[in-house]
């Protein structure tokens, strides 16, 4: 073994020299040693031959032409003529940042105010669950005064003197017509609001609170008009109003009864359902009341009845606290001046908008001056 | 304009002069990239990226072989891409299987069709064998045995010592020979 070791070492060293030997990259001494070893070792000769074959195969590999020209464009190397920043644009940069910040503040302010408004509406809607008790009490209290008024109305109408000039009566009728149209719109809005937000009890309460007092006032107004309007037309309207007053009261009573029935049915059927969406009964009640109101508002009585109903609805909507006939439950929300708050919010929003506009104008003027 | 004049002009930002250098060397650069990457598409991308890098750094060129300087940028760009592919092997696997059907520009139309197919098939098998080497071995093997670079040119291109180039090339050839023997591309008499 010890005699073979130098030979093995020589073979390993010779193998390491085979690759550069193929390329002619060996010194003269290395070449002489390697050729001596090759002559003595068939294994080394085979090794050399296999390497020669490998290099020859690699030399035959196909060469590829470039699939496309790799020449560069100005855009490739970022030499495209970018517009140079002027001193003005550099100066304007922080200013535009301030403008953007103000605009963002304005948008945030509007969003906050809108959110605040919707929160207030939600708090109003949240009062609705307290309505059943109020509605029951209203239902109990409302028939007595209206019947009394019904009896008193014809007597008062009969005693109405006819002393007012005709022009005043016509004027008054015209103003009332305009008010009627406005109030009808408000009445429809109130009905749709009741459909959206109120449970059946709330609709019942609305009917009990609003319509009977309106009927009372209608009778009173009829009597008053009969007293103050000597013209035959005004007198006729007043008489028709007073004739229809009992019908109105009957219709209201019917609506209240149906509302109570629907409330009971809704309570029985929908105890399990805790959805905040308005139950179908509420819509039906609102529709029933609306239909009854339509019966009452013939062209002649509309001038009297509708403004009064609308007035009642508006007065009940403006205050969160319930009317005297329907006392507030113990856990009801305290009164909040919603309209005042919304007015303040609108003022703030308008102020922010004005500030934004002023800023835009300043920037525009500055741009114009700078360009000149 | 000769090469040195083009280089000087390119160093002053003359893109047209640099593009003349590109046209002179793009074939070599693309072939080296193609053998290193094993994929025609990846080679084209790497070559384009390497030329962009070369233009941006041509002011740092301090003389010597421009071809070697350029190929160093090409090989480094290919190494970067290979490392990136190694981190995302799902994208690299398909590319390694080179298919000449998708590289019609490689076919020599002067050959008879059957000869061309055989040559192409052999080239594909060799490319697959080369792809089994390490990138460092691949580079010296390609520069020496495919592109015919001298050892000195390889030293300039790779920035390695001469002894390192010799030993690395020796290992690369032996490893490739063993792969080709396994694939019976070499006569069985050379089996040890």
């Amino acid at each position: 073994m010890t005699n073979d070791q130098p030979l093995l070492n020589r073979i390993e060293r010779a193998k390491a020299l085979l690759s550069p030997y193929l390329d002619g990259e060996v010194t003269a001494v290395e070449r002489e040693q390697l050729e001596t070893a090759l002559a003595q070792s068939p294994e080394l000769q085979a090794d050399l031959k296999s390497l020669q074959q490998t290099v020859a195969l690699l030399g035959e590999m196909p060469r590829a032409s470039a699939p496309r020209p790799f020449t560069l464009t100005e855009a490739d190397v970022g030499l495209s003529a970018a517009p140079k920043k002027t001193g003005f644009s550099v100066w304007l940069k922080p200013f535009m940042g301030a403008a953007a910040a103000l605009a963002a503040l304005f948008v945030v302010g509007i969003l906050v105010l809108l959110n605040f408004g919707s929160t207030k509406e939600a708090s109003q809607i949240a009062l609705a669950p307290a309505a059943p008790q109020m509605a029951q009490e209203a239902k109990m209290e409302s028939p007595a005064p209206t019947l009394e008024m019904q009896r008193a109305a014809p007597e008062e109408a009969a005693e109405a003197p006819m002393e007012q000039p005709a022009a005043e009566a016509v004027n008054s009728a015209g103003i009332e017509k305009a008010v009627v149209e406005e109030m009808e719109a408000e009445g429809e809005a109130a009905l749709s609001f009741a459909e959206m937000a109120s449970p059946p009890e709330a609709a019942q309460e609305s009917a009990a609170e609003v319509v009977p007092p309106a009927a009372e006032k209608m009778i009173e107004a009829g009597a008053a008009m009969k007293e103050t309007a000597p013209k035959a037309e005004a007198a006729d309207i007043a008489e028709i109003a007073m004739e229809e007053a009992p019908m109105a009261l009957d219709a209201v009573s019917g609506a209240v009864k149906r509302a109570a029935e629907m409330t009971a049915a809704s309570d029985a059927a929908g105890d399990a359902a805790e959805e905040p969406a308005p139950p179908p009964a509420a819509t039906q009640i609102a529709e029933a009341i609306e239909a009854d109101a339509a019966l009452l508002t013939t062209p002649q009585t509309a001038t009297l009845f509708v403004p009064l109903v609308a007035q009642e609805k508006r007065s009940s909507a403006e205050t969160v606290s319930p009317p005297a006939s329907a006392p507030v439950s113990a856990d009801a929300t305290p009164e909040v001046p919603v309209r005042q708050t919304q007015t303040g919010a609108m003022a703030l929003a308008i102020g922010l908008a004005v500030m934004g506009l002023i800023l835009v104008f300043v920037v525009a003027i500055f741009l114009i001056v700078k360009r000149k | 304009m000769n090469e040195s004049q083009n280089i000087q002009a390119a160093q002053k930002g003359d893109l047209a002069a640099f593009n003349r250098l590109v046209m002179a060397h793009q074939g070599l650069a693309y072939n080296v990239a193609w053998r290193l990457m094993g994929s025609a598409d990846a080679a084209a991308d790497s070559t384009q990226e390497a030329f962009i890098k070369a233009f941006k750094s041509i002011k740092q060129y301090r003389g010597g072989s421009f071809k070697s300087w350029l190929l160093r940028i090409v090989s480094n760009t290919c190494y970067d891409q290979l490392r990136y592919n190694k981190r995302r092997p799902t994208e690299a696997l398909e590319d390694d299987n080179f298919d000449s059907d998708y590289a019609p520009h490689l076919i020599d139309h002067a050959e008879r069709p059957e000869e061309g197919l055989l040559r192409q098939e052999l080239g594909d098998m060799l490319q697959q064998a080369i792809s089994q080497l390490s990138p460092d071995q691949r580079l010296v093997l390609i520069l020496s045995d495919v592109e015919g670079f001298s050892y000195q040119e390889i030293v300039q291109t790779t920035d390695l010592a001469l002894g390192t180039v010799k030993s690395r090339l020796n290992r690369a050839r032996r490893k490739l020979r063993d792969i080709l023997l396994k694939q019976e591309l070499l006569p069985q008499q050379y089996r040890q």
Side-chain angles (χ1 to χ4, degrees), chain B residues 5-189:
Chain B
Q5 288 172 325
N6 282 326
I7 291 169
Q8 287 178 0
Q11 284 178 324
K12 292 173 183 171
D14 187 344
L15 188 59
F18 183 80
N19 279 335
R20 284 192 285 276
L21 295 169
V22 170
M23 294 300 289
H25 295 286
Q26 65 179 2
L28 173 65
Y30 174 72
N31 271 277
V32 170
W34 175 39
R35 297 303 174 194
L36 272 174
M37 302 296 293
S39 157
D41 289 340
D45 291 345
S46 296
T47 305
Q48 185 72 74
E49 190 180 342
F51 277 124
I52 293 170
K53 285 180 182 175
F55 180 78
K56 289 180 176 175
S57 58
I58 196 166
K59 287 180 181 176
Q60 298 165 19
Y61 171 71
R62 297 282 181 261
S65 169
F66 181 76
K67 179 177 74 173
S68 296
W69 179 81
L70 183 63
L71 285 181
R72 192 185 305 171
I73 295 173
V74 171
S75 59
N76 286 335
T77 305
C78 290
Y79 284 165
D80 291 343
Q81 189 60 44
L82 287 169
R83 275 194 289 270
Y84 179 77
N85 292 344
K86 198 175 180 180
R87 288 196 297 269
R88 304 177 68 180
T90 48
E91 291 182 6
L93 282 175
E94 290 298 321
D95 289 345
D96 284 341
N97 297 324
F98 179 76
D99 188 347
S100 63
D101 291 344
Y102 295 98
H105 57 285
L106 300 178
I107 297 171
D108 183 356
H109 296 285
E111 288 181 321
R112 291 170 61 188
E114 58 272 22
E115 288 176 354
L117 285 173
L118 284 172
R119 182 181 169 87
Q120 195 60 52
E121 189 178 355
L122 179 63
D124 293 348
M125 296 174 83
L126 282 169
Q127 180 59 49
Q128 288 181 12
I130 290 170
S131 296
Q132 295 179 44
L133 305 177
S134 71
D136 289 339
Q137 290 178 348
R138 222 180 294 174
L139 179 61
V140 292
L141 185 82
I142 291 163
L143 291 176
S144 172
D145 296 345
V146 179
E147 300 299 335
F149 276 40
S150 68
Y151 280 38
Q152 194 57 44
E153 287 176 316
I154 296 172
V155 166
Q156 289 177 356
T157 302
T158 59
D159 211 16
L160 296 170
L162 179 62
T164 306
V165 170
K166 283 183 181 178
S167 60
R168 189 172 289 179
L169 182 59
N170 182 44
R171 286 196 298 274
R173 283 172 171 169
R174 290 179 177 278
K175 188 173 180 181
L176 184 68
R177 180 198 61 190
D178 294 343
I179 294 167
L180 295 178
L181 281 169
K182 283 181 187 173
Q183 294 178 351
E184 299 181 351
L185 288 173
L186 291 176
Q188 292 299 311
Q189 66 196 48

Side-chain angles (χ1 to χ4, degrees), chain A residues 308-366:
Chain A
L308 295 169
V309 170
Q311 186 182 355
E312 282 296 319
K313 287 195 174 195
R314 188 171 60 184
S315 63
S316 64
E318 281 178 357
T319 55
V320 178
S321 57
S325 59
V328 180
S329 60
D331 55 347
T333 308
E335 184 175 347
V336 179
V338 178
R339 182 161 289 188
Q340 285 180 5
T341 312
Q342 287 176 344
T343 306
M346 284 303 295
L348 183 59
I350 290 166
L352 286 171
V354 169
M355 285 173 66
L357 283 173
I358 290 170
L359 189 63
V360 168
F361 277 125
V362 168
V363 171
I365 290 166
F366 184 83

Side-chain angles (χ1 to χ4, degrees), chain A residues 206-252:
Chain A
S206 173
E209 282 179 7
V210 173
V211 181
E216 293 170 21
K217 290 191 179 178
M218 181 176 76
I219 292 164
E220 287 174 2
M225 181 176 266
K226 201 160 186 179
E227 286 174 0
T228 56
K231 196 170 171 36
E233 185 183 345
D236 289 346
I237 292 169
E239 280 180 10
I240 291 166
M242 285 185 293
E243 282 171 7
E244 286 188 1
M247 290 166 57
L249 292 169
D250 288 341
V252 169

Side-chain angles (χ1 to χ4, degrees), chain A residues 156-157 159-164 221-230 238:
Chain A
E156 288 177 9
E159 291 169 8
M162 299 188 176
E163 295 167 359
Q164 287 284 338
M225 181 176 266
K226 201 160 186 179
E227 286 174 0
T228 56

Side-chain angles (χ1 to χ4, degrees), chain A residues 15 19-20 23 25 47 49-50 54-55 57-58 60-65 67-68 70-72 77, chain B residues 19 23 26 30-31 34-35 44 48 55 105-106 119 126 147 151 166 170 173-174 176-177 190 192:
Chain A
K15 281 185 176 179
S19 176
D23 300 320
E25 295 282 346
D47 196 19
K49 199 116 185 186
S50 66
T54 303
V55 172
L57 280 174
L58 287 171
E60 290 178 7
M61 284 185 79
R63 287 187 56 79
S65 56
R68 56 184 166 86
F70 292 108
T71 50
L72 306 180
V77 292
Chain B
N19 279 335
M23 294 300 289
Q26 65 179 2
Y30 174 72
N31 271 277
W34 175 39
R35 297 303 174 194
Q48 185 72 74
F55 180 78
H105 57 285
L106 300 178
R119 182 181 169 87
L126 282 169
E147 300 299 335
Y151 280 38
K166 283 183 181 178
N170 182 44
R173 283 172 171 169
R174 290 179 177 278
L176 184 68
R177 180 198 61 190
Y190 299 132
Q192 294 175 5

